[in-house]
Amino acid sequence: LQGDWSSDVCSSDLGTALFKQEKFQEALDVFSAALEIDPENAVLHSNRSSCYLRLGNEEKAMEDAEACIRIKPSWAKDRKSV
């Protein structure tokens, strides 16, 4: 990743765009960098979990999913009702 993309990282726009393009490793790198800035961001953990899952790393995907639930427990309850 090149250039000044830190503002995009914080909003997760860049990572989301990369994910939609199926550039899962690049999206993972962006979400990981964003989590260094904001480690308690449940959306970033959720997004990175999806990247790990697409890359076949179920263990890491589960770790981020669990972090997401720890940070925002209401999401787990919301998911059950869907």
Side-chain angles (χ1 to χ4, degrees):
L1 298 173
Q2 299 175 359
D4 180 17
W5 45 271
S6 58
S7 61
D8 286 337
V9 169
C10 290
S11 66
S12 81
D13 291 344
L14 177 58
T16 300
L18 290 166
F19 187 89
K20 287 180 180 179
Q21 296 171 28
E22 298 186 8
K23 296 180 179 180
F24 303 120
Q25 184 60 56
E26 292 173 20
L28 175 81
D29 294 341
V30 170
F31 293 132
S32 293
L35 281 163
E36 288 182 24
I37 297 166
D38 187 4
E40 295 298 306
N41 187 314
V43 172
L44 294 173
H45 279 285
S46 176
N47 291 347
R48 189 170 72 172
S49 177
S50 295
C51 291
Y52 278 128
L53 196 56
R54 293 293 183 109
L55 292 167
N57 191 336
E58 293 86 5
E59 184 176 329
K60 289 288 193 180
M62 183 60 76
E63 287 175 16
D64 270 338
E66 289 172 348
C68 183
I69 292 168
R70 177 186 52 78
I71 295 164
K72 195 151 177 91
S74 64
W75 280 11
K77 293 175 188 168
D78 292 342
R79 298 274 186 233
K80 288 179 184 177
S81 64
V82 174

